[in-house]
Amino acid sequence: MEVTDTPKISDKRVKQLLVRVGDQGQEHAVNNLRKLLEESSEVYTEFKSLIIDTLVDCISLVPGKAAIYATYVAALTGPQPELVEEVCKRCVENLQSALDEGEILRAKMLLKFLIELSNAEVLNQQTLLKLVESLVSECEKTIETSHDYYLAIILPCIPLLCYSLPERAEAQFNNLIEQLEGIVSGRKKFWHEAIRVLRDDNMDDTIDEVWSVVKLLGSQGWKYDSEFHPYAEFIEEIRQHKVVISELPAITFENKVVKLCTYQACLVFEMFDQNDILEQVPNKLERILMKEMITDSISAFQHCQRLAAEKVLYQSYPHTATMTIVTCTFAQLFGLPTTECRDIFYASMLVSMCKAKDSEEVAKAIAKAFNILFDKLDQMDSEIAERFTNCFAYFLNNMDMSWSWEEWVSALELPRVHPKVIFLKRVIQKLVNLSYVGQIKKKLPEEFHDLVPAERSNTFPYEHESDDNHADAQLLLDKIKQKVPGDVFFAGEEFQTKEDDTLNEIFVFCLLHAG
């Protein structure tokens, strides 16, 4: 067989490699980075604009990869010294834009990347400190309701600053921490009573939680060994290049959106017993950082619940994360006064996680969470109870009504106005709206049948063989049960003579009948 040359790398492959680097976990990240750097060096001149555009997009939009992309830029800077300068410039421009538009997650990810560039020794530490100090100073100057906006961006970045800053710029670092401590201690939480999920919730919010991480790090001498630092594997090569950025564009704070932004930190929501959580994650500091990573991933992938579910399930964690993943998902669903996404997004995420590969443990955690919430219905805010109702009904509808109903039978003995009974009745009502009463009764234990609404007069219109569309309806029902793909669902001569409106009507009735 004739040996052919290796095919020329395409722009699509370049983009895919950049987007996917690090997706296989931290244990493979360094080797994957080396391979990516080899390929990038060969095609950088040809694909320079694509590489920089893709990098900046990934840095701004994909959480958890700041260290990986910083390593890539730092290591590639030797043969391409203009790369780090261009990326820094674009990232600061994007940071300015994110601040102006009130996009906290994007601003935080960009700041984390710049910090990791400094850790990788291609961005001067004093230059980085000047940027961070400008954010802290502006936080002090703004009206009180804007403090949380800046704190939500700055505080999660402090653990990354601890990599080398406390040793190399101790006085400046300590001054930064003192400034932040003064801002945090002076915060007013006048809205907290109104946004409690459960009546017995404590009054700590997400800013308090992240600040506790900073205090824990301080008590440990600013040492945290569990962070991922892939640039340490490349540091000798990076130092040989002697490329260090000493200037960054200045951030301005003249935009009124920034000055008047009133970001509201959410109260900390804990789903599971603390002893159960400690069994999975014994280190409090690491658990809080895991929660931040999971929450950011959910927010970043809110355009697609399936991708969000995959991201939180399969990204690398220092400990087992099932309970933390489930807690973060419900914390976002129960955020008051409003959620980032529609309720159905989080319910769909739970379904996707249960159906994912190797998902037995997370499915158990989700089931446990539903039972815990059911037991706490009498402590819930009414808005939260309604969200829980919608979520559980959607979950059941997509899981073939599979649930351990026998554990909830005792609730039927409670008064009809008890929150648990109302919840069960509302869930069943919503299920009936998604299917037929007869189908629901078949899957519900008999004890719950009294909560099922009276059966409506409408029946499946194509049930009798005498109907002209009976055969077509039966064929469609079989295809639905067999989960035939959509692109071939209506293939076949038997459907070619049907008008589209008639066929669509039959299909909708069949879909509802299948339940």
Side-chain angles (χ1 to χ4, degrees):
M1 181 182 292
E2 185 180 349
V3 178
T4 58
D5 293 334
T6 304
K8 185 179 179 182
I9 188 169
S10 66
D11 55 351
K12 184 177 180 181
R13 175 168 169 77
V14 171
K15 193 168 185 176
Q16 284 180 339
L17 289 172
L18 283 169
V19 170
R20 293 177 180 175
V21 65
D23 283 354
Q24 293 180 311
Q26 294 178 3
E27 63 275 15
H28 303 292
V30 173
N31 287 335
N32 290 343
L33 269 169
R34 290 194 184 280
K35 294 175 184 176
L36 176 60
L37 285 164
E38 287 177 14
E39 293 203 32
S40 298
S41 298
E42 296 172 6
V43 299
Y44 178 80
T45 303
E46 182 181 357
F47 295 113
K48 176 182 174 181
S49 295
L50 175 68
I51 288 173
I52 293 175
D53 290 345
T54 305
L55 263 176
V56 174
D57 285 345
C58 290
I59 292 162
S60 305
L61 300 173
V62 184
K65 290 190 181 182
I68 290 173
Y69 289 122
T71 304
Y72 174 81
V73 171
L76 195 58
T77 289
Q80 312 297 339
E82 78 285 354
L83 174 64
V84 66
E85 184 176 356
E86 180 63 25
V87 170
C88 282
K89 178 184 173 184
R90 294 273 296 276
C91 284
V92 174
E93 288 173 355
N94 278 15
L95 177 58
Q96 179 75 69
S97 170
L99 289 169
D100 289 349
E101 295 168 17
E103 297 180 13
I104 289 175
L105 178 58
R106 188 158 70 102
K108 180 171 67 174
M109 290 194 290
L110 287 159
L111 184 58
K112 282 186 175 184
F113 171 76
L114 292 170
I115 293 170
E116 294 288 29
L117 273 186
S118 178
N119 292 338
E121 300 186 16
V122 291
L123 175 61
N124 183 277
Q125 283 192 331
Q126 290 300 317
T127 304
L128 174 71
L129 262 173
K130 185 178 177 182
L131 172 65
V132 177
E133 286 170 349
S134 70
L135 289 169
V136 176
S137 297
E138 185 62 22
C139 182
E140 285 185 311
K141 295 176 191 174
T142 56
I143 57 175
E144 289 180 357
T145 50
S146 293
H147 287 174
D148 285 6
Y149 173 73
Y150 288 101
L151 291 173
I153 296 168
I154 299 166
L155 292 184
C157 298
I158 298 298
L160 303 183
L161 285 171
C162 294
Y163 181 67
S164 60
L165 202 58
E167 295 177 2
R168 298 182 184 180
E170 183 179 0
Q172 287 174 279
F173 181 77
N174 289 338
N175 183 56
L176 192 71
I177 297 300
E178 286 176 13
Q179 279 183 280
L180 288 169
E181 186 170 15
I183 297 167
V184 173
S185 61
R187 292 173 66 227
K188 293 182 179 179
K189 309 175 187 177
F190 52 84
W191 57 69
H192 283 36
E193 184 66 33
I195 60 172
R196 288 197 296 180
V197 173
L198 303 172
R199 284 198 287 272
D200 60 354
D201 275 351
N202 64 42
M203 301 298 275
D204 288 341
D205 61 24
T206 48
I207 298 294
D208 296 320
E209 188 173 52
V210 180
W211 179 245
S212 71
V213 168
V214 177
K215 292 197 291 186
L216 279 169
L217 284 168
S219 68
Q220 297 172 190
W222 305 112
K223 299 293 182 184
Y224 179 52
D225 299 327
S226 295
E227 280 285 359
F228 180 48
H229 306 296
Y231 34 78
E233 299 291 327
F234 298 82
I235 199 66
E236 293 304 320
E237 304 164 39
I238 294 168
R239 286 171 178 166
Q240 288 174 10
H241 301 153
K242 297 181 180 179
V243 178
V244 181
I245 299 299
S246 56
E247 286 187 24
L248 290 174
I251 295 289
T252 61
F253 301 96
E254 297 175 0
N255 191 294
K256 291 183 179 179
V257 175
V258 176
K259 291 185 176 294
L260 300 178
C261 180
T262 55
Y263 164 76
Q264 177 180 297
C266 295
L267 290 181
V268 174
F269 174 74
E270 290 294 356
M271 176 71 73
F272 301 100
D273 181 79
Q274 286 299 310
N275 292 327
D276 293 337
I277 293 169
L278 288 172
E279 284 183 15
Q280 286 198 346
V281 190
N283 187 305
K284 179 183 177 182
L285 187 154
E286 289 180 348
R287 181 166 186 269
I288 295 172
L289 293 177
M290 283 167 60
K291 284 175 70 176
E292 188 217 350
M293 187 191 307
I294 294 164
T295 301
D296 286 353
S297 296
I298 295 172
S299 298
F301 290 92
Q302 58 185 246
H303 60 282
C304 178
Q305 52 78 22
R306 180 182 58 79
L307 287 176
E310 288 178 2
K311 180 68 175 175
V312 299
L313 281 178
Y314 300 129
Q315 64 188 352
S316 296
Y317 301 107
H319 301 280
T320 304
T322 50
M323 287 187 179
T324 309
I325 290 169
V326 174
T327 297
C328 290
T329 307
F330 277 105
Q332 289 220 347
L333 171 63
F334 294 156
L336 288 173
T338 58
T339 57
E340 283 189 50
C341 306
R342 294 174 62 192
D343 297 359
I344 196 171
F345 171 85
Y346 305 105
S348 298
M349 261 195 74
L350 295 172
V351 172
S352 294
M353 286 192 281
C354 282
K355 293 183 176 181
K357 183 181 178 183
D358 302 325
S359 61
E360 292 83 2
E361 291 304 313
V362 76
K364 289 178 184 176
I366 291 170
K368 186 173 183 179
F370 280 136
N371 279 311
I372 290 171
L373 291 170
F374 182 73
D375 287 338
K376 293 184 176 182
L377 275 164
D378 56 346
Q379 303 174 38
M380 273 188 196
D381 177 273
S382 58
E383 169 66 19
I384 299 303
E386 182 63 15
R387 292 184 197 175
F388 176 36
T389 303
N390 292 334
C391 174
F392 189 63
Y394 180 88
F395 182 86
L396 288 178
N397 188 61
N398 283 272
M399 300 298 288
D400 198 32
M401 291 279 291
S402 177
W403 185 249
S404 51
W405 293 101
E406 64 279 359
E407 295 181 15
W408 290 0
V409 168
S410 60
L412 300 175
E413 299 173 7
L414 296 168
R416 289 287 179 175
V417 293
H418 193 281
K420 288 184 178 180
V421 180
I422 294 172
F423 169 80
L424 289 169
K425 192 171 183 178
R426 294 272 294 144
V427 166
I428 292 170
Q429 176 64 62
K430 290 178 183 295
L431 288 169
V432 169
N433 291 341
L434 296 168
S435 185
Y436 287 98
V437 172
Q439 296 289 332
I440 301 300
K441 281 190 171 182
K442 284 180 186 177
K443 297 171 183 177
L444 269 179
E446 192 173 341
E447 294 91 335
F448 292 86
H449 285 190
D450 286 346
L451 299 179
V452 180
E455 190 159 5
R456 295 165 186 166
S457 57
N458 56 316
T459 56
F460 186 54
Y462 313 111
E463 189 168 355
H464 302 293
E465 294 183 10
S466 58
D467 191 280
D468 293 341
N469 295 316
H470 173 77
D472 293 332
Q474 290 303 313
L475 184 58
L476 287 176
L477 283 170
D478 290 340
K479 289 191 173 189
I480 290 171
K481 290 174 182 176
Q482 294 165 15
K483 298 183 179 179
V484 173
D487 55 344
V488 294
F489 195 88
F490 292 108
E493 295 180 3
E494 60 276 10
F495 297 130
Q496 302 307 312
T497 58
K498 291 284 183 187
E499 293 183 5
D500 288 345
D501 289 347
T502 303
L503 191 58
N504 289 338
E505 184 177 319
I506 298 171
F507 172 70
V508 170
F509 275 110
C510 289
L511 198 61
L512 289 170
H513 189 64

